[in-house]
C-alpha cells in the first residue's frame, strides 16, 4: 500500500481520495540509489500545473491530457530495469529528489530540468516555482550507468536529468536545491487577482 497525504491551505475545491490494495512481486522504493547511478525522468515537468491553470481559466481539458497524469504503465515497464522510483507530486521535483537523496544517503547532481519551454515560461510568468510544482504523471528513477541506454531507449519521453555521487543533498548548477513554496496556493492567489 502506498500513499500520500497533503495539505494545501488555499485549496477549497473538492479533492478525491483513492486507496488501492494489491500484492507485489517486487517493490521499487527510493532507497536503493548508489553512487554512479543515473537519474532519469519520464515526461516533462508541470503538465499537471498547466491543466490546473487552464481549468481555472475555464478552458476545456481534453481526456488525453488527463490520462497523461498517470505514470503507472511506465513504472511497471521500468520496474525491472531501475533501482529506485519516485513520483513527482507534492513538493515537485525538488522534494522528490531530496527524498531520494535522504533515503539512499547519496548526493544527486541535477544536470538538466526537463520541462517544455512554453510551460516553463507560463508558470514563471505567474510566479510559480517549477521545481516545487506538483507534476503528477511524471516519474523519477535511478538506474545503473550500464543500463542507461536501455532505459532511455524505452520511450522518447525518458530523459537523463542527473547523476548520483557520494555525499548528501541535491545540487543544481553547483548550488543546493531546496523545496520551495506551494504551487497550488500560487495558482489560487493568481486566480483571485483576475
Amino acid at each position: 500500500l502506498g500513499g500520500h497525504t497533503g495539505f494545501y491551505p488555499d485549496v477549497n475545491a473538492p479533492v478525491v481520495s483513492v486507496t488501492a490494495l494489491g500484492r507485489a512481486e517486487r517493490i521499487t522504493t527510493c532507497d536503493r540509489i548508489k553512487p554512479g547511478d543515473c537519474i532519469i525522468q519520464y515526461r516533462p515537468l508541470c503538465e499537471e500545473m498547466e491543466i490546473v491553470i487552464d481549468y481555472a481559466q475555464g478552458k476545456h481539458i481534453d481526456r488525453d491530457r488527463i490520462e497523461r497524469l498517470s505514470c503507472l504503465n511506465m513504472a511497471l515497464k521500468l520496474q525491472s530495469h531501475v533501482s529506485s522510483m519516485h513520483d513527482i507530486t507534492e513538493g515537485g521535483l525538488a522534494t522528490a529528489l531530496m527524498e531520494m537523496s535522504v533515503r539512499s544517503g547519496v548526493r544527486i547532481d541535477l544536470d538538466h530540468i526537463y520541462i517544455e519551454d512554453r510551460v516553463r515560461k507560463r508558470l514563471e510568468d505567474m510566479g510559480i516555482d517549477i521545481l516545487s510544482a506538483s507534476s503528477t504523471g511524471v516519474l523519477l528513477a535511478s538506474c545503473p550507468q550500464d543500463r542507461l541506454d536501455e532505459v532511455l531507449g524505452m520511450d522518447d519521453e525518458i530523459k537523463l536529468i542527473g547523476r548520483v555521487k557520494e555525499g548528501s543533498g541535491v545540487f543544481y548548477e553547483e548550488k543546493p536545491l531546496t523545496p520551495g513554496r506551494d504551487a497550488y496556493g500560487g495558482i489560487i492567489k493568481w486566480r483571485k487577482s483576475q
Side-chain angles (χ1 to χ4, degrees), residues 7 18 38 71 73 76 80 100 116 136 143 150 167 172 182:
F7 173 72
V18 177
C38 302
C71 56
N73 289 335
L76 293 171
S80 62
M100 293 172 83
E116 301 293 334
T136 300
C143 70
E150 175 187 0
Y172 178 59
D182 169 33

Side-chain angles (χ1 to χ4, degrees), residues 8-169:
Y8 305 97
D10 294 313
V11 175
N12 59 5
V15 176
V16 176
S17 177
V18 177
T19 299
L21 300 172
R23 292 185 179 194
E25 293 176 18
R26 178 176 184 253
I27 297 174
T28 307
T29 60
C30 65
D31 59 357
R32 297 182 182 127
I33 306 169
K34 306 259 185 282
D37 282 357
C38 302
I39 302 294
I40 58 108
Q41 179 181 317
Y42 170 63
R43 291 198 175 132
L45 292 176
C46 301
E47 289 182 349
E48 172 191 1
M49 287 292 102
E50 188 174 42
I51 289 170
V52 170
I53 293 165
D54 286 347
Y55 181 78
Q57 292 175 341
K59 295 180 183 173
H60 173 74
I61 309 300
D62 293 327
R63 182 182 179 104
D64 292 344
R65 289 178 73 195
I66 298 297
E67 288 177 358
R68 284 182 60 83
L69 297 180
S70 173
C71 56
L72 178 61
N73 289 335
M74 183 53 67
L76 293 171
K77 205 171 164 182
L78 283 170
Q79 187 175 16
S80 62
H81 303 276
V82 300
S83 52
S84 69
M85 288 191 271
H86 196 304
D87 65 335
I88 304 179
T89 51
E90 187 174 355
L93 179 65
T95 297
L97 288 170
M98 187 62 68
E99 289 175 359
M100 293 172 83
S101 169
V102 169
R103 293 279 312 272
S104 292
V106 296
R107 172 182 168 141
I108 298 175
D109 285 347
L110 182 62
D111 301 324
H112 172 69
I113 297 173
Y114 176 29
I115 184 172
E116 301 293 334
D117 289 338
R118 70 174 168 70
V119 176
R120 176 193 295 261
K121 180 173 180 0
R122 187 174 185 194
L123 270 62
E124 287 177 347
D125 286 350
M126 294 177 70
I128 295 171
D129 176 10
I130 61 168
L131 297 177
S132 295
S134 180
S135 290
T136 300
V138 180
L139 183 67
L140 290 177
S142 64
C143 70
Q145 177 68 44
D146 62 357
R147 289 197 156 183
L148 180 61
D149 289 339
E150 175 187 0
V151 169
L152 292 175
M154 294 174 80
D155 194 285
D156 289 342
E157 288 191 292
I158 297 176
K159 307 292 183 197
L160 171 65
I161 65 162
R163 306 261 179 194
V164 180
K165 297 179 178 178
E166 288 187 18
S168 63

